[in-house]
Amino acid sequence: MTYSFEKGLSFAKQLDDQDALKSFRDRFYLNDGEIYMDGNSLGLCSKDAEACLMRVLGEWKTLGINCWTQTQPSLFLYHDHLGAMMAPLINADPEEVTAHANTTLNIHTALGTFYEPTDKRYKILVDDINFPTDRHAIDGQLRLKGLDPEVCVKVVKSRDGKMICEADFIEAMTEDVALILLPSVLYRSGQLVDMKYITDEAHKRDIIVGWDLCHSIGAVPHDFKAINPDFAVWCTYKYLNGGPGSLAGLYINKKHLSKPSGLPGWHGNVKDRQFELNHKFEKAAHAGGWQSGTQSILSMAPLEGSLKMYAEAGMENIRSKSLHITAYMRFLIEERLTEYGFTIGSPTEDHLRGGHIALEHDDALRINEALKAARVVPDFRFPNVIRLAPAPLYIRYEDVYEMVERIVDIMKERKYEGYENKVHTVA
Ligand SMILES: Cc1ncc(COP(=O)(O)O)c(C=O)c1O
């Protein structure tokens, strides 16, 4: 889509006035004067999330062991309750989604389930710019099966180190490929991959397809009824604002619900008979059957509050603001920052863009530090990317305007020169 923007604060304020989601901002905890652009790393805490956490804590306080069953929703089935709440974000059926563990463990679970190598088909197809944990899990699973990752992982290289080209993957789908695991949105550039095209082509060749939705869930709506992947995983602490370490999402296509789980445990048992404590595992025939052991209820509760806000706001409205505000950010960067040597490493077209903008500069690391000192919260990714995510539920157009002005000030005054070229632990 082509957008028409103007420079100046009054235009930003005008956009905020027209913003259909503007009332949500007041439900988040924001620090005065700080501009939080890191919602793609750790989303902010909302009052709704806090209220759910406090409710569940209260249930534990007053009910003790009975909190598992005498609560509404039942904490014993909480993971599936949250799964059903996440299902609309990807247009899946409630029974296809559960909340479980973290993304990495869900990849292990899914690979344990779906990776069934034969002499002829044994390769796992990946890209070389995905977040590393996916690859660590793949290599680990291969080793568990006595296979050599050097032989069994087929890596398709990005042409420019920023984006992946779908056609390169189709070409790499040779008869020895058993499974593909790719990110929906690339964590550095924010490229949104054509998931349907890749999934359809893979299925024509009998290849299992899994997607890592960490950088798209809650920012980009997915239509899994159309894409029809075999499995998907995602974290809930980024755009979904579930809190640090909140439980991850796992989607298993309903055509596979009767498959055995790769990492079974007693919480995946048919619920009515779980407490019969039989040694023979009776896997539940829905995504909850992929549960392992007892999950952290207190790391799920904030997500409940946050998902209620998502249902209220509507995923399509969130995407629509995300596209508009990232396009606005792009406009201001081009207007105000190109003269200081900045470039944009994210796709321009709406259908190729996720929820953040990759701002590139040779001195990105020091500029990132100067930005933090100027009370903007971005994050840095090697080698030269400052990621800026205007989370639609709590970031205003005015914040984007103000952030760009703070960057202008840093560059004009060469404030970044006062910082070391040193990476810090997080962001
Ligand atoms: C694409 C992707 N996958 C996985 C993860 C992290 O996984 P986990 O939830 O296991 O920490 C991230 C974290 O940023 C990510 O960007």
Side-chain angles (χ1 to χ4, degrees):
M1 197 193 279
T2 45
Y3 300 98
S4 156
F5 298 118
E6 289 170 28
K7 289 190 278 185
L9 180 58
S10 60
F11 183 73
K13 288 190 169 181
Q14 200 180 308
L15 292 178
D16 283 323
D17 279 347
Q18 295 159 359
D19 177 6
L21 299 177
K22 67 180 169 203
S23 63
F24 285 93
R25 177 179 167 89
D26 290 342
R27 288 157 67 172
F28 283 89
Y29 288 100
L30 291 136
N31 294 321
D32 272 352
E34 184 180 88
I35 302 175
Y36 195 82
M37 288 290 173
D38 213 6
N40 60 336
S41 228
L42 181 65
L44 287 181
C45 180
S46 64
K47 291 169 190 164
D48 302 59
E50 182 185 40
C52 280
L53 176 61
M54 297 318 286
R55 188 199 76 223
V56 172
L57 201 57
E59 289 166 349
W60 173 34
K61 263 190 196 166
T62 53
L63 295 170
I65 185 76
N66 292 322
C67 74
W68 286 112
T69 47
Q70 292 180 7
T71 45
Q72 196 51 257
S74 144
L75 299 185
F76 188 51
L77 304 173
Y78 204 31
H79 47 270
D80 290 334
H81 179 74
L82 294 180
M85 289 180 82
M86 288 191 275
L89 303 175
I90 56 171
N91 193 24
D93 288 343
E95 60 174 2
E96 294 176 304
V97 184
T98 194
H100 179 248
N102 55 47
T103 314
T104 311
L105 272 175
N106 285 342
I107 295 173
H108 279 288
T109 306
L111 291 176
T113 303
F114 290 103
Y115 178 58
E116 297 171 313
T118 64
D119 287 349
K120 290 200 171 126
R121 258 186 206 277
Y122 55 92
K123 290 199 175 166
I124 300 182
L125 192 60
V126 297
D127 65 291
D128 67 336
I129 52 174
N130 191 3
F131 195 77
T133 204
D134 297 34
R135 182 62 198 272
H136 301 331
I138 289 171
D139 289 4
Q141 284 294 319
L142 288 167
R143 282 193 212 98
L144 275 176
K145 288 192 155 62
L147 298 169
D148 180 357
E150 287 296 318
V151 177
C152 297
V153 180
K154 185 169 183 180
V155 183
V156 174
K157 283 197 175 343
S158 159
R159 295 180 187 192
D160 60 1
K162 297 179 193 177
M163 321 270 182
I164 65 172
C165 173
E166 286 84 354
D168 294 346
F169 285 86
I170 315 298
E171 202 185 309
M173 290 177 190
T174 44
E175 284 183 352
D176 51 2
V177 174
L179 186 146
I180 298 180
L181 177 63
L182 290 177
S184 50
V185 164
L186 274 296
Y187 80 95
R188 230 189 251 111
S189 66
Q191 176 199 4
L192 173 60
V193 176
D194 189 339
M195 296 164 68
K196 179 160 169 52
Y197 176 39
I198 289 191
T199 307
D200 283 350
E201 290 299 319
H203 283 167
K204 280 183 203 162
R205 295 161 178 82
D206 288 330
I207 298 170
I208 292 283
V209 187
W211 291 99
D212 179 337
L213 310 181
C214 278
H215 280 277
S216 62
I217 194 82
V220 181
H222 295 298
D223 183 357
F224 271 23
K225 299 240 184 285
I227 299 170
N228 199 30
D230 297 286
F231 70 89
V233 295
W234 58 89
C235 58
T236 60
Y237 45 75
K238 298 181 191 292
Y239 294 103
L240 288 184
N241 309 315
S246 55
L247 258 65
L250 174 65
Y251 159 90
I252 306 282
N253 189 307
K254 62 180 167 213
K255 69 186 173 198
H256 297 305
L257 290 177
S258 61
K259 271 181 98 61
S261 158
L263 285 186
W266 74 306
H267 271 273
N269 203 86
V270 170
K271 285 298 179 192
D272 301 352
R273 288 188 288 281
Q274 180 175 338
F275 271 86
E276 289 177 13
L277 302 177
N278 292 321
H279 282 199
K280 186 165 167 31
F281 181 56
E282 225 185 318
K283 193 182 126 284
H286 54 83
W290 272 260
Q291 288 289 324
S292 49
T294 312
Q295 301 296 308
S296 168
I297 297 293
L298 297 180
S299 296
M300 284 191 239
L303 183 60
E304 184 196 335
S306 185
L307 289 171
K308 282 182 184 156
M309 286 173 94
Y310 262 79
E312 208 182 312
M315 200 48 237
E316 292 301 331
N317 296 330
I318 289 170
R319 173 63 168 162
S320 161
K321 175 168 174 194
S322 170
L323 284 171
H324 194 251
I325 199 167
T326 46
Y328 175 65
M329 185 186 282
R330 191 183 181 96
F331 165 80
L332 288 183
I333 290 170
E334 280 163 359
E335 287 288 325
R336 304 281 286 137
L337 300 181
T338 38
E339 65 180 287
Y340 299 106
F342 287 99
T343 51
I344 296 175
S346 307
T348 314
E349 299 91 325
D350 282 3
H351 71 283
L352 297 178
R353 194 166 77 247
H356 74 266
I357 292 287
L359 183 64
E360 297 180 341
H361 195 282
D362 289 345
D363 238 321
L365 185 46
R366 293 198 296 172
I367 297 167
N368 192 64
E369 288 308 303
L371 256 176
K372 288 193 223 166
R375 306 207 64 216
V376 175
V377 184
D379 69 18
F380 169 80
R381 289 292 177 264
F382 266 114
N384 64 344
V385 174
I386 298 170
R387 295 190 311 179
L388 302 166
L393 289 181
Y394 52 81
I395 294 296
R396 297 170 304 189
Y397 291 83
E398 183 181 341
D399 298 322
V400 174
Y401 172 85
E402 176 58 26
M403 177 198 74
V404 170
E405 290 310 304
R406 290 185 196 180
I407 300 176
V408 169
D409 179 58
I410 287 166
M411 301 313 289
K412 242 191 203 156
E413 305 298 326
R414 303 182 79 82
K415 289 183 175 168
Y416 60 95
E417 289 180 353
Y419 294 88
E420 267 183 293
N421 241 327
K422 187 169 160 237
V423 182
H424 296 264
T425 315
V426 178

